Amino acid sequence: MESEFSMRNPLFFLLSILFVMALTGCTSNIRPNNSTLLLDGSHGIENFNQVGEANWQATENTIQANKSNSTYAYLVSKSSYKNFRLTVEFWTSDDANSGVFFRCQDPQNITAENCYEANIFDQRPDPSYGTGGIVLIAKSPTPMPKAGGKWNTYEITANGPHLKLVLNGVTTADIEDSKLAEGFLALQWGSGTIKFRKVAIQPL
């Protein structure tokens, strides 16, 4: 007599497929158990403080801005982080000036001198530290990668003095620098349009 839990049982077969998918990482939205979603679609702006006066808004399943009453504006994390892997999904216009700042020392004063900045700036007048570079620390690859007009993913690893940027699966910076050991995160609006769809952080 055939068991009711055989592979011919549709429910058993479906559960088996889902179990295999979970083991192999084929299901969507899988992330490490110790990671935290700071921003997910149009949710999460409450996890940040606004510094400067950009028109940040939740729309199109993103948090985005395209103008400001100040020179620069930022969404600054409420917590400080030391060693981590940060994943940021973003869309930027061709003319945008933006960046992902990390290990910032002063959450009210965000600069490339007191933070590390993973730059998003395709039209930077001096392309040395444009998109894919860490401003003042690690130059952009040559030719400089372009992020404008499409969705991109930055994976930023800061583990002790080891700093690594991976943009759309390609390593663009991999250096040692011990200037800043811990600090806040900041998402920048500088010009153009910037949209953030996901920000997730995993402590290391």
Side-chain angles (χ1 to χ4, degrees), residues 25 38 43 50 76 114 166 172 184:
L38 298 178
H43 305 285
Q50 296 192 34
V76 182
N114 67 3
V166 178
T172 59
F184 297 85

Side-chain angles (χ1 to χ4, degrees), residues 2 4 46 56 78 89 113 163 166-167:
E2 184 177 350
E4 64 178 352
E46 67 276 4
W56 296 106
K78 294 181 179 180
E89 294 181 3
E113 285 78 22
L163 308 176
V166 178
L167 177 62

Side-chain angles (χ1 to χ4, degrees), residues 7 11-24 26-27:
M7 290 300 289
L11 178 60
F12 179 87
F13 183 74
L14 177 60
L15 291 174
S16 299
I17 293 295
L18 291 174
F19 180 72
V20 171
M21 289 175 67
L23 288 179
T24 58
C26 293
T27 54

Side-chain angles (χ1 to χ4, degrees), residues 22-196:
L23 288 179
T24 58
C26 293
T27 54
S28 61
N29 297 320
I30 296 294
R31 65 181 190 274
N33 290 333
N34 62 339
S35 69
T36 300
L37 272 174
L38 298 178
L39 188 153
D40 185 20
S42 57
H43 305 285
I45 197 169
E46 67 276 4
N47 295 323
F48 298 85
N49 293 316
Q50 296 192 34
V51 175
E53 299 181 6
N55 63 333
W56 296 106
Q57 56 184 317
T59 186
E60 301 176 344
N61 204 35
T62 67
I63 302 297
Q64 60 179 273
N66 59 17
K67 64 180 180 180
S68 174
N69 293 326
S70 54
T71 304
Y72 299 109
Y74 305 88
L75 295 178
V76 182
S77 66
K78 294 181 179 180
S79 298
S80 177
Y81 301 94
K82 188 174 183 179
N83 297 322
F84 54 84
R85 182 172 293 109
L86 181 69
T87 301
V88 181
E89 294 181 3
F90 66 94
W91 184 97
T92 176
S93 59
D94 293 327
D95 61 343
N97 175 10
S98 181
V100 179
F101 292 71
F102 57 101
R103 289 184 174 173
C104 296
Q105 302 302 290
D106 182 353
Q108 295 298 317
N109 181 34
I110 307 299
T111 73
E113 285 78 22
N114 67 3
C115 309
Y116 294 119
E117 180 188 0
N119 211 1
I120 304 168
F121 197 175
D122 288 357
Q123 297 182 10
R124 191 174 193 266
D126 175 5
S128 300
Y129 297 105
T131 301
I134 303 175
V135 178
L136 304 179
I137 301 294
K139 292 185 177 182
S140 304
T142 303
M144 185 183 72
K146 296 296 183 69
K150 62 184 179 181
W151 282 102
N152 305 269
T153 300
Y154 249 146
E155 185 178 274
I156 300 167
T157 301
N159 193 10
H162 185 204
L163 308 176
K164 183 177 180 180
L165 302 187
V166 178
L167 177 62
N168 299 329
V170 177
T171 299
T172 59
D174 191 347
I175 62 161
E176 300 280 325
D177 188 89
S178 57
K179 180 177 68 172
L180 307 173
E182 182 175 357
F184 297 85
L185 309 175
L187 309 175
Q188 183 192 47
W189 178 90
S191 64
T193 299
I194 183 70
K195 305 176 184 181
F196 294 101

